[in-house]
Amino acid sequence: MRIRTIGDVAVSAVGLGAMPLSIERRPDEQRAVATVHAALDAGITLIDTADSYHWHAGETGHNELLIARALARYGGDTSHVLVATKGGRGRPGDGSWTVNAAPGHLRRAAEASVKRLGVEALGLYQLHKPDPAVPWAESVGTLRELIDAGTIRAAGISNVTAEQIREAHTILGNGLVSVQNQYSPAVRDSEAELRLSTRLGLAFLPWSPLGGISASSLDGTRGPTSAGTAFHRVAAAHGVSPQQVVLAWLLARSPAVIPVPGASRPASVRDSAKAAELELSEAEQSLLDDPRSAARPDRP
């Protein structure tokens, strides 16, 4: 597995998005653990989770606890695995998502995540989403306090604008190491944030990276999901899955990009891991760079 860096930590070029293991239509624990183990076997050393990745009310931290159990049951060394978690969102249990990035809540959430993951400090703690009810500087300043207190080693921010990245970078300095925004073949609104992250030396972790090829529980079903896009045609030429082509395309967009595709089956995560070795030609990359590449021929 090729590697990339988040701050001063080397991680696999493709990570595992663990959300599908805990939300609606989640697999049983045996398959969920097998999926995490398949990721580790494939060389994946970055696992993305959050305290809000759960299904029912009262399950806060379900995914973090699951990841902790899966790592504990793995037969090999997991000391090099970076578990990146997030705080600042909630799920009441009715399918909706809430936001709370108040300083007190973030401090309590980070401390609870430390306990659930069974670590001395969180390797990467990401503010899940800006809270319109809380000044951005206050939320980000709490991340600074958590670093200074040794609760977290590094901070990330998610669902942010370029302006918010700049302000967070001013407050956190080298403590800010990553940005996680939605970015995929069908959703490319974060081009400016990707460019800025690259310039600042921040890892860019696109969430829902397969949008336009498969659906995400967070972004609904917009965008084509069946065969016929340029990604499918390139995949056929290489004899690989369209998902592999999407991830290879993302990796080629910038050395800062580390996609974290979700998976709920061992076969899916094994397929995603192979994308790190897939080389696209300049012509293929140029074709896929076109925003229309995710559209089926029968769509405008």
Side-chain angles (χ1 to χ4, degrees), residues 99-201:
V99 181
N100 184 352
H105 174 78
L106 288 178
R107 280 191 290 270
R108 291 189 297 271
E111 291 164 359
S113 291
V114 167
K115 292 179 181 178
R116 283 191 290 265
L117 290 168
V119 294
E120 293 182 0
L122 300 173
L124 173 57
Y125 191 63
Q126 303 161 96
L127 178 56
H128 209 152
K129 188 174 184 178
D131 186 343
V134 180
W136 180 237
E138 289 187 16
S139 296
V140 176
T142 304
L143 297 180
R144 176 75 265 170
E145 293 172 4
L146 289 169
I147 292 174
D148 293 342
T151 307
I152 70 176
R153 294 194 175 95
I157 50 178
S158 182
N159 298 300
V160 288
T161 65
E163 175 78 19
Q164 288 167 331
I165 294 173
R166 292 189 188 94
E167 186 174 356
H169 190 255
T170 298
I171 295 170
L172 293 168
N174 292 336
L176 179 66
V177 298
S178 68
V179 170
Q180 186 168 168
N181 277 13
Q182 184 177 20
Y183 191 86
S184 69
V187 182
R188 307 188 187 191
D189 300 340
S190 285
E191 290 283 358
E193 289 74 24
L194 170 57
R195 291 194 298 271
L196 178 58
S197 296
T198 302
R199 286 201 304 273
L200 294 176

Side-chain angles (χ1 to χ4, degrees), residues 243-300:
Q243 288 78 9
Q244 277 191 48
V245 174
V246 172
L247 298 175
W249 168 74
L250 286 167
L251 288 168
R253 295 291 289 164
S254 164
V257 170
I258 306 173
V260 285
S264 61
R265 297 181 298 116
S268 298
V269 75
R270 291 189 195 104
D271 185 72
S272 293
K274 293 176 182 176
E277 308 304 324
L278 178 60
E279 296 284 352
L280 300 175
S281 69
E282 289 186 12
E284 289 170 333
Q285 190 69 30
S286 178
L287 170 66
L288 300 177
D289 284 345
D290 188 326
R292 296 169 297 180
S293 62
R296 297 200 307 270
D298 60 342
R299 293 191 177 222

